[in-house]
Amino acid sequence: MTTLLLILTVLVALALIGIILIQRSEGGGLGVGSSQGLGSFMSGRGTATLLTRGTAVLAAIFMILCLCLAVLNRGASSGGNTRDILAHPPASQPVAPAAPTAPSQPQHP
């Protein structure tokens, strides 16, 4: 399950990188500057809207996949030890106070 989610996360991340790189910085999108756009039925504005929505959808999917991976792998980084240190803090040992020492007397000549 974790491997499948990890593969999906990588694919979504690559798609997200690709769709972001396709966009123009001024928000024009694929077909800005040409009369055809992405096709004769889509204007430059429609392309920008499509890319913006695609970016939002891929970003949401990426965040959900990352949260699922985090929930599935919580506690897995401790190796064989599955004990959660926050759930069971170690018992604290009371510290015994140090025995008072006698003050040293200054030597007079």
Side-chain angles (χ1 to χ4, degrees):
M1 180 71 176
T2 303
T3 306
L4 177 67
L5 285 177
L6 190 58
I7 291 170
L8 284 174
T9 303
V10 170
L11 291 176
V12 169
L14 291 174
L16 191 57
I17 290 169
I19 202 167
I20 288 172
L21 289 177
I22 289 173
Q23 295 180 17
R24 286 189 153 182
S25 62
E26 59 265 6
L30 278 174
V32 173
S34 67
S35 61
Q36 293 295 318
L38 192 58
S40 60
F41 64 94
M42 290 188 74
S43 66
R45 188 169 190 84
T47 304
T49 304
L50 175 70
L51 290 175
T52 304
R53 283 189 184 171
T55 303
V57 168
L58 284 175
I61 292 171
F62 180 78
M63 291 173 57
I64 291 169
L65 286 172
C66 287
L67 286 173
C68 290
L69 280 171
V71 168
L72 285 175
N73 287 325
R74 111 183 135 222
S77 64
S78 61
N81 186 6
T82 59
R83 195 187 86 168
D84 188 7
I85 61 170
L86 296 177
H88 305 287
S92 61
Q93 298 289 332
V95 178
T101 57
S104 63
Q105 299 284 334
Q107 301 271 338
H108 293 286

